[in-house]
């Protein structure tokens, strides 16, 4: 459709303009049919008059309403349409490889982040999370990291974020996250927390990538190798360490879960500092939560996400 509407016939133009405006009204066709419609109306009136003149009503009876034989009194069934499930008003679909959109009034940002594959991917974002639409097929690494962000990420800072912030002044920084995962495919469910030697708001952080894995399928493991085990806040984790362009430390739950409540982020930063991969004078720039799909992707969803500092 080129956006131009015919105005050759005035009534046709009115009909088209109504549909363009989203109002699917039935247009007035009498004016366009002209004499044919007029003759039909006159014929109908004549038939009614003829029936009225030739009908005899016996004395002492109540006259019945006179109905022309050509007019049916049966009710016309109301046409039905196939029911549809409308998308919630606050949902936004993002399919650009590195596209993102704010949610929850700008407190968080949902990003598509399709960085590792040529297959397509979209995220459907809403106030408390997002869901993934993808069908990846990789055996050598993640296809993407669809995720929700709190903080500063490549120059985009979420509304009211306390980041960048010195890791010595994180306060009571906690996060709650609930997810759903499919029965098939290969993926992990993980936090991605970024540290930098400076109060960086733009570009990629250069200090440390700290990951917290809640769940993963059997063929998917963190970058690097396992270097130990630890228990943090009563939960046992494997500790993995590796490096691509920056050092990555990954805490992998030995008991998989789809959700956490009030998880203490400084607990992990303190452990990473003791291991020498985080430095006391560094800054935290963002807390991200998402998925690294290798195969599949559809069915991964964040249903609830929040980060608070000192209860706010």
């Amino acid at each position: 459709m080129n956006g131009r509407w015919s105005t050759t016939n005035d009534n046709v133009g009115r009909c088209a303009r109504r549909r363009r405006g989203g109002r699917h009204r039935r247009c007035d066709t009498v004016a366009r049919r002209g004499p044919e419609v007029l003759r039909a109306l006159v014929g109908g009136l004549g038939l009614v008059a003829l029936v009225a003149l030739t009908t005899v009503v016996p004395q002492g009876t109540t006259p019945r309403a006179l109905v022309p034989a050509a007019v049916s009194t049966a009710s016309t069934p109301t046409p039905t349409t196939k029911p549809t499930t409308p998308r919630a008003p606050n949902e936004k679909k993002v399919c650009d490889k590195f596209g993102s959109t704010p949610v929850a009034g700008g407190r968080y940002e949902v990003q598509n982040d399709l960085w590792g594959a040529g297959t397509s991917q979209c995220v459907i974002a809403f106030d408390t999370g997002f869901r993934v639409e993808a069908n990846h097929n990789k055996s050598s690494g993640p296809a993407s990291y669809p995720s929700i962000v709190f903080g500063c990420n490549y120059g985009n800072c979420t509304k009211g974020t306390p980041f960048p912030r010195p890791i010595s002044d994180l306060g009571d920084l906690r996060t709650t996250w609930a997810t759903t995962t499919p029965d098939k495919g290969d993926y992990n469910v993980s936090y991605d927390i970024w540290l930098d030697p400076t109060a960086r708001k733009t570009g990629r952080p250069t200090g440390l990538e700290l990951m917290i894995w809640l769940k993963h399928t059997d063929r998917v493991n963190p970058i690097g190798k396992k270097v130990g085990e630890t228990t943090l806040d009563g939960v046992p984790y494997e500790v993995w360490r590796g490096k691509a362009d920056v050092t990555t430390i990954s805490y992998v739950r030995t008991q998989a879960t789809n959700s956490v409540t009030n998880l203490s982020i400084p607990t992990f930063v303190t452990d990473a500092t003791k291991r020498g991969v985080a430095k006391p004078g560094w800054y935290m720039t963002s807390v991200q939560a998402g998925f690294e799909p290798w195969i599949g992707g559809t069915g991964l969803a964040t249903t609830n996400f929040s980060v608070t500092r000192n209860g706010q």
Side-chain angles (χ1 to χ4, degrees), residues 236-248:
Y237 294 87
E238 294 180 353
V239 183
W240 290 62
R241 182 173 174 179
K243 185 174 183 179
D245 51 349
V246 298
T247 298
T248 301

Side-chain angles (χ1 to χ4, degrees), residues 16-25:
R17 284 192 291 272
R18 286 172 180 170
R19 290 196 177 98
R20 187 185 188 192
R23 296 176 178 269
H24 299 287
R25 303 176 184 172

Side-chain angles (χ1 to χ4, degrees), residues 5 30 95 109 127 131 159 164-165 171 203 231 252 276 278 298 306:
W5 297 86
V30 174
C95 297
E109 184 94 3
D127 277 354
R131 61 184 183 272
K159 186 176 180 180
R165 192 167 205 91
T231 298
V252 182
T298 296
S306 66

Side-chain angles (χ1 to χ4, degrees), residues 57-86:
V57 180
Q59 293 183 355
T61 62
T62 303
R64 294 180 300 150
L66 301 177
V67 180
V71 179
S72 172
T73 59
S75 61
T76 303
T78 303
T80 59
T81 57
K82 185 178 180 180
T84 59
T85 303

Side-chain angles (χ1 to χ4, degrees), residues 1-310:
M1 186 180 298
N2 62 13
R4 296 187 178 183
W5 297 86
S6 172
T7 56
T8 303
N9 182 290
D10 187 58
N11 288 290
V12 174
R14 283 199 298 270
C15 178
R17 284 192 291 272
R18 286 172 180 170
R19 290 196 177 98
R20 187 185 188 192
R23 296 176 178 269
H24 299 287
R25 303 176 184 172
R26 187 168 67 80
C27 295
D28 182 7
T29 59
V30 174
R32 281 182 287 166
R33 294 180 181 174
E36 293 82 356
V37 175
L38 182 59
R39 284 195 293 270
L41 291 175
V42 172
L45 292 174
L47 180 59
V48 173
L50 179 60
V51 174
L53 291 172
T54 57
T55 302
V56 178
V57 180
Q59 293 183 355
T61 62
T62 303
R64 294 180 300 150
L66 301 177
V67 180
V71 179
S72 172
T73 59
S75 61
T76 303
T78 303
T80 59
T81 57
K82 185 178 180 180
T84 59
T85 303
R87 185 176 294 169
N90 63 337
E91 288 189 347
K92 304 171 187 176
K93 188 171 185 176
V94 179
C95 297
D96 291 343
K97 292 184 68 172
F98 301 106
S100 65
T101 185
V103 294
R107 181 174 177 85
Y108 308 113
E109 184 94 3
V110 170
Q111 61 177 357
N112 199 28
D113 202 11
L114 177 57
W115 62 268
T119 42
S120 63
Q121 175 181 286
C122 296
V123 289
I124 312 299
F126 44 90
D127 277 354
T128 59
F130 64 93
R131 61 184 183 272
V132 180
E133 293 180 353
N135 188 24
H136 300 303
N137 187 21
K138 289 199 67 179
S139 59
S140 59
S144 60
Y145 185 62
S147 48
I148 187 166
V149 182
F150 179 67
C152 295
N153 184 42
Y154 285 88
N156 187 12
C157 295
T158 58
K159 186 176 180 180
T161 180
F163 302 132
R165 192 167 205 91
I167 62 173
S168 60
D169 186 32
L170 292 179
D172 187 18
L173 187 66
R174 294 184 178 272
T175 178
T176 293
W177 186 23
T179 70
T180 58
T181 54
D183 294 331
K184 58 183 180 179
D186 280 325
Y187 56 85
N188 64 53
V189 180
S190 59
Y191 283 95
D192 213 3
I193 300 168
W194 290 92
L195 307 182
D196 195 273
T198 65
R200 179 184 298 275
K201 293 184 179 180
T202 61
R204 181 178 174 86
T206 60
L208 177 68
E209 179 182 14
L210 190 160
M211 302 192 75
I212 305 170
W213 287 37
L214 305 187
K215 181 179 183 179
H216 66 100
T217 53
D218 292 340
R219 294 197 310 118
V220 175
N221 286 311
I223 187 172
K225 63 181 181 179
K226 180 180 174 181
V227 295
E229 297 178 350
T230 188
T231 298
L232 301 176
D233 288 344
V235 177
Y237 294 87
E238 294 180 353
V239 183
W240 290 62
R241 182 173 174 179
K243 185 174 183 179
D245 51 349
V246 298
T247 298
T248 301
I249 187 168
S250 302
Y251 296 87
V252 182
R253 282 182 65 113
T254 58
Q255 299 173 344
T257 183
N258 272 351
S259 64
V260 290
T261 302
N262 291 326
L263 182 71
S264 173
I265 295 175
T267 301
F268 294 87
V269 177
T270 299
D271 186 83
T273 303
K274 291 179 179 178
R275 295 174 186 273
V277 292
K279 305 302 180 183
W282 283 4
Y283 294 77
M284 183 175 293
T285 61
S286 69
V287 175
Q288 307 180 23
F291 314 98
E292 288 184 322
W294 294 37
I295 296 176
T298 296
L300 296 170
T302 289
T303 57
N304 186 43
F305 174 78
S306 66
V307 179
T308 61
R309 179 178 181 270
N310 299 336

